[in-house]
Amino acid sequence: MKQTLPYLFLLFFISGFSQQSQDLSGKWFWKSPNGQNTMELQLTYENQNRINGNHCVVFNKEGKTDCRNNEVGTFSINLVKIAKGIYDGTIESAVSLSSGKIRLQYIESEKTIRFYLKEVPPGEFYIPKEAFLIQ
């Protein structure tokens, strides 16, 4: 029994680790069906339940942009985990400097993130209402 205990612990640890949700850190991309609009999200984990990041949205083939500089310690996206693979939070428009509410949901079967703008920020912005992003 004493010899199998370390193996059981290791098996439990590995199976618990493999059940963690998809790692959402990194760059995620979206391009509109007509090719006129793009969005990039750069996401990093603050901790297990919080994600921060920045965005860059280009509309009308660079006619209008909403991009946040990657200054150290500043983020345009702030998210909190509300369920497995689902994060709610805010996105700050670099154009109007106002914040809207968003939801990111990882869709495991498609290996994509569904971006959904739940509340439009006041003022001018170029963030899509919904987009499916890939890495």
Side-chain angles (χ1 to χ4, degrees):
M1 178 72 174
K2 286 184 180 180
Q3 293 176 342
T4 60
L5 192 56
Y7 296 112
L8 289 174
F9 174 76
L10 183 60
L11 180 62
F12 175 75
F13 178 77
I14 290 171
S15 67
F17 184 73
S18 66
Q19 292 176 2
Q20 295 292 333
S21 64
Q22 161 70 25
D23 182 6
L24 300 180
S25 62
K27 288 185 181 183
W28 293 84
F29 301 95
W30 166 79
K31 188 174 192 176
S32 65
N34 67 4
Q36 298 289 311
N37 310 315
T38 62
M39 179 166 65
E40 177 183 312
L41 303 181
Q42 176 69 46
L43 304 174
T44 58
Y45 281 89
E46 180 180 317
N47 60 43
Q48 249 181 326
N49 297 312
R50 297 187 64 82
I51 295 176
N52 297 319
N54 286 302
H55 73 283
C56 187
V57 178
V58 178
F59 267 53
N60 298 324
K61 285 194 174 182
E62 299 187 26
K64 303 200 181 238
T65 62
D66 189 335
C67 296
R68 181 70 176 267
N69 293 332
N70 292 332
E71 299 173 26
V72 175
T74 63
F75 302 102
S76 63
I77 298 171
N78 295 287
L79 301 163
V80 175
K81 183 177 183 176
I82 61 166
K84 183 179 179 186
I86 301 175
Y87 294 81
D88 276 358
T90 59
I91 186 166
E92 181 182 22
S93 169
V95 177
S96 64
L97 300 178
S98 59
S99 292
K101 293 183 180 179
I102 62 171
R103 171 170 287 173
L104 293 184
Q105 178 179 6
Y106 180 69
I107 302 170
E108 190 167 346
S109 62
E110 299 176 24
K111 306 291 187 231
T112 62
I113 291 178
R114 177 184 180 247
F115 171 94
Y116 181 71
L117 185 61
K118 293 171 57 173
E119 184 180 295
V120 175
E124 191 174 0
F125 72 99
Y126 308 111
I127 301 166
K129 177 80 172 161
E130 183 177 43
F132 292 87
L133 295 97
I134 60 171
Q135 278 191 313

